[in-house]
Amino acid sequence: MSFRGFQKSVVRAPQQFKQKFNLGEHTKDAVYIDSERRFEELEAETKRLHDESAKYFEAINGMLQHQIEFSKAMTEIYKPISGRMSDPDSLVPHGNIEGIAACEEYEAVVKDLQETLAPELEMIESRVIRPANELLDVIKVIRKTAVKREHKKLDYDRHRATLKKLQDKKDRSPKDEKAMWKAENDVEQATQEYNYFNDLLKDELPKLFALERQFIQPLFQSFYYMQLNIFYTLHEKMQHCDIGYFDLTLDLEEAFLAKRGDVQERAEALSIVKFKTTGMKRPPKYQRPGALEGNKPAGLLTAGSSTTTSTGTPEAAPSVTAPRPWEQQQQAPAVTAPRPWETQAEPVEAHAPPPYSVKPSTLHATPASYAAPVASPKPASLSMAAAAKAKPPPPKPKPKALMATPQVETVTALYDYSAQAEGDLSFRAGDVIEIVTRTANDNEWWIGKLHGKQGQFPGNYVQLNS
């Protein structure tokens, strides 16, 4: 766009805004509006005709080329893999000779078909695509004239609005009189230019529509007959294609199964085609590391006294840990803490709980996963891995506005409990703990608060307060 054109677009911008939002008076010509609508349809459908014809031309060429490439790929598959170190029988000539010959014969048939169809496809290019492209060039010129007419209409409405504003002014000064004289001249000139382009399009667009029908009729007829010739040629060539490798007397599926034989079963019997992800021992690179604390002895990760062997090497004392859910039925209880129901007739003993116990990742763990602390026969490395395993993040807090004030629930500690991992709550027998979260089963981990600290603890170490 030139600088002068930019200046005009800036001047016309207010009037375009008023026209878009239907503000003020606007010139409307019903005859031209109808012609403009039909012209837009002609423009869109001509572009569509050109694009679809080009796609059809490319599709036929592409189909034949894909058939040739398919035949070349099958030929390479049928050829033996020879001259390679990975092939132990590389010096033995073998391969599907009949299949290779059939692929080469099929490729020759398709290439001959491609050469036969080349003149028909060239006619589509010259008789359909090229005329549609020429029509698009004509439509572009007409579109420029329509845009010019729209600009002149904006100028005409803009000058008329300016003149009316000056005429409606009651007390006009000499300056207003001069401006009104200039506005009258602008309106007269804008009227002439607008009427010229408006009348030109109203007069010649109907003629273009009549010529369009005369243009489309032979175009469509040529495309129809050329399409028939292409389909007929394809049918004739492929109908007389007689390759001995294929048995056309059999059903399609029956012939496929006969050719395949037992190849599928033999291929599925190979171990290399199976990928088993479970049930086998993992290779060392996929196993968990044996220690989480570098070269530290395993016994240093758990509490308890250590003894020294005769050689002077510190020996970690066997740690007493809570059994895993899958170990309970295989282990005999060694050191058992009293249950809540066993303490009614017996005094509370100040026995410390096991120095470390494995807790489930959530509060809904397998019941009695920690009820009977016994000596774990598992290696210390697994105990360390369980101890170092990060707890899951806590759930997001609910909005305070939606939470009712719950009644505080407390429990009394029956035994001393020392925190064995991060997030545990330590307490002594007799402490009153405020319950934050608990389950109906006391053989699970509960969450409570004591002395301003919140953590989780075993439910069978406490007794509910009524």
Side-chain angles (χ1 to χ4, degrees), residues 32-91:
Y32 176 79
I33 291 175
D34 182 67
S35 299
E36 170 72 10
R37 179 183 57 79
R38 293 182 59 189
F39 177 70
E40 290 177 353
E41 294 176 356
L42 171 64
E43 186 177 19
E45 295 305 322
T46 304
K47 180 69 167 60
R48 184 178 175 184
L49 173 65
H50 173 271
D51 294 345
E52 296 301 327
S53 301
K55 289 179 181 178
Y56 181 80
F57 175 81
E58 294 170 358
I60 298 297
N61 276 326
M63 178 188 68
L64 298 175
Q65 190 61 36
H66 290 324
Q67 288 176 281
I68 295 175
E69 296 298 328
F70 174 82
S71 176
K72 290 180 179 179
M74 292 301 299
T75 303
E76 291 299 323
I77 292 175
Y78 283 146
K79 286 181 179 179
I81 303 175
S82 58
R84 300 183 183 179
M85 296 300 296
S86 61
D87 186 4
D89 300 327
S90 59
L91 301 179

Side-chain angles (χ1 to χ4, degrees), residues 180-197:
M180 188 173 66
W181 176 80
K182 183 178 182 301
E184 289 175 350
N185 291 335
D186 291 340
V187 168
E188 183 178 357
Q189 182 178 358
T191 302
Q192 293 177 359
E193 293 177 351
Y194 167 69
N195 287 336
Y196 170 76
F197 288 103

Side-chain angles (χ1 to χ4, degrees), residues 255-439:
F256 170 76
L257 295 175
K259 282 288 184 183
R260 187 181 66 178
D262 62 341
V263 172
Q264 182 176 357
E265 290 77 9
R266 289 160 56 192
E268 292 176 351
L270 298 176
S271 300
I272 199 172
V273 303
K274 298 181 178 63
F275 184 74
K276 192 172 183 180
T277 58
T278 58
M280 298 180 66
K281 187 176 180 180
R282 291 184 176 181
K285 64 178 292 187
Y286 295 109
Q287 292 181 353
R288 292 185 177 180
L292 299 178
E293 296 290 334
N295 297 325
K296 273 190 179 182
L300 296 180
L301 293 179
T302 58
S305 62
S306 61
T307 61
T308 306
T309 61
S310 60
T311 60
T313 305
E315 181 179 359
S319 61
V320 181
T321 59
R324 279 75 173 175
W326 56 85
E327 298 172 356
Q328 279 188 341
Q329 299 188 3
Q330 300 177 3
Q331 298 175 355
V335 180
T336 308
R339 272 70 169 181
W341 54 84
E342 297 174 352
T343 60
Q344 310 220 349
E346 299 177 3
V348 176
E349 297 181 3
H351 292 296
Y356 180 78
S357 59
V358 180
K359 295 179 289 298
S361 59
T362 63
L363 291 178
H364 301 285
T366 305
S369 62
Y370 52 84
V374 296
S376 172
K378 291 291 182 178
S381 60
L382 295 183
S383 299
M384 290 184 292
K389 185 175 181 181
K391 289 168 53 181
K396 295 183 179 179
K398 296 181 179 179
K400 295 183 179 180
L402 301 179
M403 297 175 59
T405 304
Q407 184 178 2
V408 178
E409 188 177 16
T410 59
V411 294
T412 301
L414 300 176
Y415 315 100
D416 294 345
Y417 179 76
S418 299
Q420 302 174 14
E422 184 180 357
D424 287 2
L425 181 66
S426 300
F427 53 81
R428 301 186 66 83
D431 287 346
V432 178
I433 305 170
E434 180 183 342
I435 292 295
V436 177
T437 303
R438 74 175 183 90
T439 62

Side-chain angles (χ1 to χ4, degrees), residues 59-340:
I60 298 297
N61 276 326
M63 178 188 68
L64 298 175
Q65 190 61 36
H66 290 324
Q67 288 176 281
I68 295 175
E69 296 298 328
F70 174 82
S71 176
K72 290 180 179 179
M74 292 301 299
T75 303
E76 291 299 323
I77 292 175
Y78 283 146
K79 286 181 179 179
I81 303 175
S82 58
R84 300 183 183 179
M85 296 300 296
S86 61
D87 186 4
D89 300 327
S90 59
L91 301 179
V92 179
H94 63 282
N96 191 345
I97 301 177
E98 295 179 355
I100 295 174
C103 289
E104 293 175 350
E105 186 176 353
Y106 177 77
E107 182 179 351
V109 171
V110 177
K111 285 184 177 180
D112 180 62
L113 180 60
Q114 193 176 32
E115 294 176 359
T116 305
L117 290 178
E120 297 292 338
L121 295 175
E122 180 63 29
M123 290 179 65
I124 293 179
E125 171 70 25
S126 61
R127 296 189 181 182
V128 179
I129 300 177
R130 197 177 303 163
N133 199 20
E134 293 174 355
L135 181 58
L136 282 176
D137 294 338
V138 174
I139 289 176
K140 289 179 182 178
V141 176
I142 300 174
R143 172 54 62 187
K144 290 182 180 179
T145 305
V147 172
K148 191 77 171 178
R149 182 257 181 199
E150 185 65 22
H151 289 169
K152 297 303 179 182
K153 184 176 79 69
L154 290 174
D155 294 338
Y156 173 67
D157 291 339
R158 177 168 58 88
H159 292 310
R160 274 202 316 155
T162 303
L163 178 60
K164 184 178 180 181
K165 183 178 179 180
L166 292 172
Q167 289 176 345
D168 294 342
K169 198 172 183 180
K170 294 181 179 179
D171 299 329
R172 291 193 293 267
S173 62
K175 185 177 179 180
D176 294 335
E177 294 289 343
K178 183 178 179 181
M180 188 173 66
W181 176 80
K182 183 178 182 301
E184 289 175 350
N185 291 335
D186 291 340
V187 168
E188 183 178 357
Q189 182 178 358
T191 302
Q192 293 177 359
E193 293 177 351
Y194 167 69
N195 287 336
Y196 170 76
F197 288 103
N198 189 57
D199 294 340
L200 176 66
L201 290 172
K202 286 197 302 181
D203 180 56
E204 296 194 356
L205 278 179
K207 298 178 181 179
L208 176 67
F209 300 148
L211 293 174
E212 172 206 355
R213 289 190 294 269
Q214 298 178 12
F215 172 80
I216 292 297
Q217 184 175 358
L219 196 68
F220 177 69
Q221 185 174 358
S222 299
F223 182 77
Y224 177 75
Y225 283 115
M226 285 183 288
Q227 192 178 42
L228 287 181
N229 288 338
I230 291 173
F231 290 154
Y232 178 76
T233 305
L234 284 171
H235 176 75
E236 286 295 317
K237 287 288 184 180
M238 300 307 296
Q239 186 72 18
H240 295 87
C241 178
D242 187 11
I243 300 177
Y245 187 72
F246 306 108
D247 188 359
L248 301 181
T249 60
L250 298 177
D251 181 68
L252 182 62
E253 185 176 1
E254 183 182 356
F256 170 76
L257 295 175
K259 282 288 184 183
R260 187 181 66 178
D262 62 341
V263 172
Q264 182 176 357
E265 290 77 9
R266 289 160 56 192
E268 292 176 351
L270 298 176
S271 300
I272 199 172
V273 303
K274 298 181 178 63
F275 184 74
K276 192 172 183 180
T277 58
T278 58
M280 298 180 66
K281 187 176 180 180
R282 291 184 176 181
K285 64 178 292 187
Y286 295 109
Q287 292 181 353
R288 292 185 177 180
L292 299 178
E293 296 290 334
N295 297 325
K296 273 190 179 182
L300 296 180
L301 293 179
T302 58
S305 62
S306 61
T307 61
T308 306
T309 61
S310 60
T311 60
T313 305
E315 181 179 359
S319 61
V320 181
T321 59
R324 279 75 173 175
W326 56 85
E327 298 172 356
Q328 279 188 341
Q329 299 188 3
Q330 300 177 3
Q331 298 175 355
V335 180
T336 308
R339 272 70 169 181

